[in-house]
Amino acid sequence: MAAAATMAAAARELLLRAGTSDMEEEEGPLVRTWGSFSPESCPGVFASEGPGLGLGRRVGERLLTVMLPVCFSVSVLGVGSESALESEWPTQGGGPGLQEPLPLGELDISSDEFILDEVDVHIQANLEDELVKEALKTGVDLRHYSKQVELELQQIEQKSIRDYIQESENIASLHNQITACDAVLERMEQMLGAFQSDLSSISSEIRTLQEQSGAMNIRLRNRQAVRGKLGELVDGLIVPSALIMAILEAPVTEPRFLEQLQELDAKAAAVREQEARGTAACADVRGILDRLRVKAVTKIREFILQKIYSFRKPMTNYQIPQTALLKYRFFYQFLLGNERATAKEIRDEYVETLSKIYLSYYRSYLGRLMKVQYEEVAEKDDLMGVEDTAKKGFFSKPSLRSRNTIFTLGTRGSVISPTELEAPILVPHTAQRGEQRYPFEALFRSQHYALLDNSCREYLFICEFFVVSGSAAHDLFHAVMGRTLGMTLKHLESYLTDCYDAIAVFLCIHIVLRFRNIAAKRDVPALDRYWEQVLALLWPRFELILEMNVQSVRSTDPQRLGGLDTRPHYITRRYAEFSSALVSINQTVPNERTMQLLGQLQVEVENFVLRVAAEFSSRKEQLVFLINNYDMMLGVLMERAADDSKEVESFQQLLNARTQEFIEELLSPPFGGLVAFVKEAEALIERGQAERLRGEEARVTQLIRGFGSSWKSSVESLSQDVMRSFTNFRNGTSIIQGALTQLIQLYHRFHRVLSQPQLRGLPARAELINIHHLMVELKKHKPNF
């Protein structure tokens, strides 16, 4: 503790002598506090002028660090008198009168024991510093060092005083400048204060003006809204002179009459609306508007009725006045909104007039159209299974010149082609002058195309002119066209009662199906019910005629058909033409019921062919008859029907089966022994009994020599027989080719049998014809067509 006290006293004395003011070269004389002292402020004191002084500087630095808290603590604890401390310790201002108390804060100095303990801790901690330890070890004389430091501090103090005196003028000048700046700033503060008070008053005035402007804007909008509503009301109620003059004097066909009529309608609607709201001003214009409305209704009624009456003139194209009425369709809308009684009168007059015109036109057209039909029509006896001799008699009329046309399609199918379907309608008087005749389906197409075209145009006119749609449009359309459609249905029903032309009825069905699609594309649903009624008449009649033909084939007795031959029968030819016609028509719009009826007819025809074939005595003639009929029916069907149809597939299977059987029957007379031996020998070899062939040498020798001597003549006779038996040369050629192919296969099998060990040594094998030579020779007998 003694050493520490000594060091503290030395450090305190050093600090007191050093002074607290120091002037920096760049900033001028500055007031420095005791805490601003550092070794850098006294470079002379701590300059290293030798080893001893350098060490002394470092020790002095550490002593300052160590002893400053000690000195502070000693002063607090009362080491030395308070007056001595105040006289010796430099003040912050560097002179008397500027002393300030130390900023001790909340330092508690009530306990001496605590402060001493803290001093001991600091002293102990600083004594452990490496530099202090080194100074103590080297034995530096602190008193000498202290005197040296004190001397240097005095020199520095004197230098600082001189610097301060030299800069006194600058300091005074700086003080004067600072005082002037304070006066300027004070005046600026006063000016800014006045400006702030002015701004606050202006802000309040601006807020007042904003409130006044918002109120004025609201009043302006309210007045504009009232003015707009009032203007609309006045404009809607005022009746200008131009409107009055146009309604009273202008013809209805002039554009200005239509324009002013629309204006009158708008004003009448506006007045009605304002009257409903209780506007008293409407009473001022109600009388004028009523008189103008009556005048306009009178002129419009007279104009439309004149157009409707013009339909009644003979030879008038009523489509022209209809088109003219569409230009003035607003007239009826005006009547509908202002005078419903007059609108109903006009509509009723139109319905009455047009319904009579359409009925008269179609009745006349239908009557003249039926006069250009074929004179020869099918009757109830013109069925597929009716014998040719059934109608021959003394009182019977001559047979139909074109009877087969009821079973043959020919060019009749073109009536449902896209080009013919919507072709111009037939003109009866032109056809009569040219002595042209048409089948029923052509007349049906022309009649219903005219009906379709006029009905679509009429329906669209009704919807547009009379402003109707949906069920109302349907009702109005049927009021106009109902009598005409009913007359057409009755005529069709009457005609179908005596119609036995199934192809004509079937074509009419497909015409209706296509016309129904056309009406749907034109967005005219008014004819849907009519199409259904027409189909309800056509389908049952078609099915009845088809069932009658089926029954006629089923009930045909082959023995009553007279002389028979192997050529195709006329009934099968009728069936082939008839079936191919229906199949080709049905491919466009398939119908399952039609295919079922055709299936029944096919079964009956196949049974009929078998019944007729049974009338022949030999199996060969039976097969020739069957093959000729199957081939004829298949050929006709393949011309019109698709290759994968059921009819084509069925007759192809029957033809192949009968052809194979006929080839075997054809090869049996000349080569029957060879066929029998080959079959027996192959059966023995298959069962493992080939040894039994050793007893057949004589039979084999006879077969070899017989085949070698007669095969050419047999093949020639076979070819001629086939060509005589079959009317279709192509079919005959394929049969000959099949027979020759089967003969080559038979002879090849015969060679394989003779190659067995039991017959290999037979001498007659040398007379066998080479298989390749046989093939070359048989090719010469193949006919080329």
Side-chain angles (χ1 to χ4, degrees):
M1 292 298 291
T6 304
M7 292 177 64
R12 180 167 172 263
E13 182 180 0
L14 178 62
L15 290 174
L16 290 175
R17 293 184 178 182
T20 57
S21 62
D22 188 12
M23 302 298 294
E24 296 182 1
E25 295 179 358
E26 297 180 359
E27 297 179 358
L30 299 177
V31 179
R32 184 179 295 272
T33 62
W34 64 270
S36 302
F37 181 79
S38 63
E40 286 77 6
S41 63
C42 304
V45 179
F46 298 98
S48 60
E49 297 177 357
L53 291 178
L55 179 60
R57 179 188 177 186
R58 291 194 299 271
V59 172
E61 292 175 353
R62 287 303 178 183
L63 285 176
L64 288 174
T65 305
V66 172
M67 293 304 163
L68 282 176
V70 176
C71 296
F72 176 73
S73 301
V74 171
S75 65
V76 172
L77 293 176
V79 181
S81 63
E82 183 177 356
S83 59
L85 180 60
E86 291 178 353
S87 61
E88 295 176 358
W89 198 264
T91 62
Q92 186 174 359
L98 297 177
Q99 298 178 356
E100 293 183 2
L102 293 174
L104 300 178
E106 297 179 357
L107 179 63
D108 186 6
I109 59 176
S110 59
S111 176
D112 297 338
E113 182 180 358
F114 172 78
I115 296 175
L116 293 175
D117 292 339
E118 186 178 1
V119 171
D120 293 339
V121 173
H122 282 288
I123 293 174
Q124 186 64 32
N126 291 318
L127 287 175
E128 293 178 358
D129 185 85
E130 295 295 334
L131 189 59
V132 175
K133 290 180 180 181
E134 184 180 355
L136 295 176
K137 289 180 181 180
T138 55
V140 176
D141 188 356
L142 295 179
R143 290 175 294 180
H144 176 74
Y145 179 74
S146 175
K147 292 179 179 181
Q148 182 70 26
V149 171
E150 182 179 359
L151 180 61
E152 293 180 357
L153 287 176
Q154 290 177 356
Q155 295 175 356
I156 292 173
E157 181 180 3
Q158 294 174 1
K159 182 180 180 181
S160 298
I161 292 171
R162 287 194 301 270
D163 292 339
Y164 184 80
I165 293 172
Q166 291 176 0
E167 297 295 333
S168 59
E169 295 180 359
N170 293 334
I171 293 173
S173 176
L174 178 62
H175 175 73
N176 294 333
Q177 292 176 3
I178 292 174
T179 303
C181 288
D182 288 340
V184 173
L185 291 176
E186 183 178 1
R187 289 195 302 272
M188 289 183 64
E189 181 180 5
Q190 294 174 358
M191 293 173 59
L192 291 175
F195 183 68
Q196 183 178 6
S197 62
D198 293 341
L199 286 179
S200 61
S201 62
I202 292 174
S203 176
S204 61
E205 292 177 0
I206 290 174
R207 284 195 297 269
T208 303
L209 291 175
Q210 286 179 345
E211 293 174 358
Q212 294 176 358
S213 176
M216 293 175 63
N217 191 20
I218 293 174
R219 289 195 298 271
L220 176 61
R221 286 200 300 268
N222 292 337
R223 291 181 179 181
Q224 288 177 346
V226 171
R227 179 181 179 181
K229 295 293 184 181
L230 186 60
E232 291 178 1
L233 176 61
V234 173
D235 291 341
L237 295 180
I238 291 177
V239 182
S241 59
L243 187 151
I244 298 174
M245 298 299 295
I247 297 299
L248 294 179
E249 299 178 0
V252 295
T253 55
E254 289 188 4
R256 67 189 184 102
F257 178 83
L258 181 59
E259 294 175 0
Q260 297 303 326
L261 183 67
Q262 293 174 349
E263 182 69 17
L264 176 62
D265 184 63
K267 289 188 177 297
V271 169
R272 287 194 297 268
E273 182 181 357
Q274 293 301 327
E275 284 181 342
R277 297 178 179 178
T279 304
C282 296
D284 298 337
V285 296
R286 166 54 65 186
I288 298 175
L289 291 178
D290 288 341
R291 289 192 293 273
L292 290 176
R293 179 179 58 81
V294 171
K295 182 63 177 179
V297 167
T298 303
K299 296 174 69 173
I300 291 172
R301 175 181 177 276
E302 182 181 356
F303 171 75
I304 296 178
L305 288 179
Q306 286 179 357
K307 289 293 183 182
I308 294 175
Y309 293 153
S310 66
F311 294 161
R312 302 176 182 179
K313 296 180 182 179
M315 306 299 293
T316 299
N317 186 357
Y318 60 89
Q319 296 176 4
I320 295 177
Q322 270 189 343
T323 305
L325 280 177
L326 286 178
K327 296 180 181 178
Y328 306 102
R329 55 182 175 271
F330 181 73
F331 289 173
Y332 185 81
Q333 297 178 17
F334 180 82
L335 296 178
L336 201 62
N338 296 274
E339 192 63 38
R340 287 188 172 272
T342 305
K344 184 177 183 303
E345 177 189 1
I346 290 176
R347 187 180 64 181
D348 294 342
E349 188 66 28
Y350 177 84
V351 170
E352 182 68 19
T353 302
L354 266 295
S355 63
K356 291 180 180 179
I357 290 175
Y358 280 123
L359 180 61
S360 175
Y361 170 77
Y362 274 98
R363 181 183 287 129
S364 175
Y365 180 71
L366 197 56
R368 294 196 306 268
L369 198 62
M370 297 305 295
K371 293 180 181 179
V372 296
Q373 186 184 9
Y374 279 133
E375 296 179 357
E376 300 86 359
V377 295
E379 299 179 355
K380 63 180 179 179
D381 294 330
D382 296 319
L383 299 174
M384 191 176 299
V386 175
E387 300 86 350
D388 286 340
T389 59
K391 297 182 63 177
K392 292 181 180 180
F394 182 77
F395 295 102
S396 63
K397 63 181 180 181
S399 60
L400 302 180
R401 294 195 302 270
S402 57
R403 176 185 298 176
N404 288 336
T405 57
I406 63 176
F407 302 109
T408 305
L409 183 61
T411 59
R412 298 172 67 180
S414 61
V415 72
I416 60 175
S417 64
T419 55
E420 292 290 334
L421 191 66
E422 300 187 52
I425 61 175
L426 300 176
V427 182
H429 61 272
T430 304
Q432 287 178 344
R433 284 200 302 265
E435 296 183 355
Q436 296 178 348
R437 293 293 181 267
Y438 301 94
F440 176 72
E441 63 271 11
L443 307 181
F444 182 87
R445 197 274 323 169
S446 180
Q447 169 198 351
H448 280 81
Y449 184 67
L451 186 64
L452 169 68
D453 199 30
N454 287 280
S455 296
C456 291
R457 187 180 293 106
E458 186 65 31
Y459 179 80
L460 296 176
F461 172 81
I462 287 173
C463 293
E464 188 172 359
F465 185 79
F466 291 103
V467 197
V468 290
S469 60
S471 60
H474 280 73
D475 295 340
L476 188 57
F477 172 81
H478 285 288
V480 175
M481 299 294 297
R483 298 169 64 183
T484 302
L485 298 179
M487 182 271 299
T488 306
L489 287 173
K490 288 182 180 179
H491 175 268
L492 179 62
E493 184 178 7
S494 175
Y495 180 84
L496 291 178
T497 303
D498 297 327
C499 178
Y500 296 92
D501 190 349
I503 293 180
V505 177
F506 198 54
L507 286 173
C508 291
I509 290 174
H510 281 265
I511 289 172
V512 171
L513 295 177
R514 285 162 173 78
F515 281 166
R516 184 169 63 181
N517 293 335
I518 293 174
K521 291 180 181 178
R522 295 182 182 181
D523 197 17
V524 179
L527 288 174
D528 291 348
R529 182 181 177 186
Y530 174 76
W531 300 131
E532 293 176 358
Q533 292 174 339
V534 173
L535 292 175
L537 294 176
L538 293 174
W539 274 115
R541 189 62 188 179
F542 171 72
E543 294 177 358
L544 176 62
I545 299 173
L546 208 55
E547 290 175 354
M548 291 174 64
N549 281 281
V550 172
Q551 183 61 33
S552 68
V553 175
R554 183 186 297 119
S555 60
T556 300
D557 186 2
Q559 296 181 356
R560 297 177 57 186
L561 298 178
L564 299 176
D565 55 29
T566 58
R567 291 176 298 178
H569 199 273
Y570 67 87
I571 292 181
T572 58
R573 185 177 296 278
R574 289 176 181 175
Y575 162 76
E577 295 287 348
F578 182 74
S579 179
S580 63
L582 296 187
V583 169
S584 62
I585 296 172
N586 194 61
Q587 286 176 350
T588 56
V589 184
N591 180 264
E592 189 62 28
R593 176 60 178 165
T594 303
M595 301 308 299
Q596 293 177 359
L597 294 174
L598 285 177
Q600 296 177 8
L601 182 60
Q602 179 182 349
V603 172
E604 296 300 330
V605 170
E606 291 177 1
N607 294 335
F608 167 76
V609 172
L610 294 177
R611 291 200 304 271
V612 176
E615 298 294 323
F616 294 96
S617 58
S618 65
R619 181 59 180 169
K620 181 179 178 181
E621 290 180 339
Q622 294 177 0
L623 293 174
V624 171
F625 176 79
L626 293 175
I627 291 173
N628 279 331
N629 282 272
Y630 291 154
D631 178 67
M632 183 271 300
M633 290 187 287
L634 182 62
V636 174
L637 285 172
M638 291 182 66
E639 289 181 2
R640 296 186 179 273
D643 295 341
D644 57 349
S645 64
K646 295 181 180 179
E647 293 80 7
V648 171
E649 184 179 357
S650 174
F651 285 114
Q652 186 67 55
Q653 293 176 356
L654 292 173
L655 178 62
N656 293 338
R658 296 298 177 263
T659 300
Q660 184 62 32
E661 185 179 355
F662 176 76
I663 290 175
E664 294 178 357
E665 190 71 23
L666 191 66
L667 295 177
S668 181
F671 307 107
L674 184 62
V675 172
F677 171 74
V678 170
K679 290 182 178 180
E680 293 175 4
E682 288 177 346
L684 292 175
I685 294 173
E686 186 178 357
R687 294 195 301 268
Q689 301 176 359
E691 291 296 329
R692 297 178 58 181
L693 295 176
R694 295 185 182 276
E696 301 291 337
E697 289 84 354
R699 182 182 177 186
V700 171
T701 301
Q702 183 180 359
L703 289 175
I704 293 174
R705 292 173 179 173
F707 182 84
S709 61
S710 62
W711 72 270
K712 290 186 178 182
S713 59
S714 298
V715 170
E716 184 67 27
S717 175
L718 179 148
S719 299
Q720 295 177 0
D721 188 14
V722 169
M723 298 310 297
R724 286 194 303 268
S725 300
F726 299 100
T727 56
N728 187 353
F729 291 147
R730 183 175 298 176
N731 184 39
T733 301
S734 63
I735 292 175
I736 293 175
Q737 181 67 27
L740 297 179
T741 301
Q742 190 164 341
L743 178 60
I744 293 173
Q745 293 175 354
L746 175 65
Y747 200 67
H748 181 66
R749 291 162 59 192
F750 183 62
H751 269 261
R752 286 190 298 177
V753 171
L754 295 183
S755 64
Q756 295 294 321
Q758 293 80 9
L759 299 175
R760 192 177 301 167
L762 188 66
R765 290 186 73 249
E767 302 178 16
L768 282 172
I769 300 175
N770 185 272
I771 188 72
H772 298 287
H773 175 70
L774 179 64
M775 293 173 62
V776 172
E777 291 296 327
L778 289 179
K779 285 183 179 180
K780 298 178 182 180
H781 292 274
K782 178 182 177 181
N784 296 318
F785 295 103

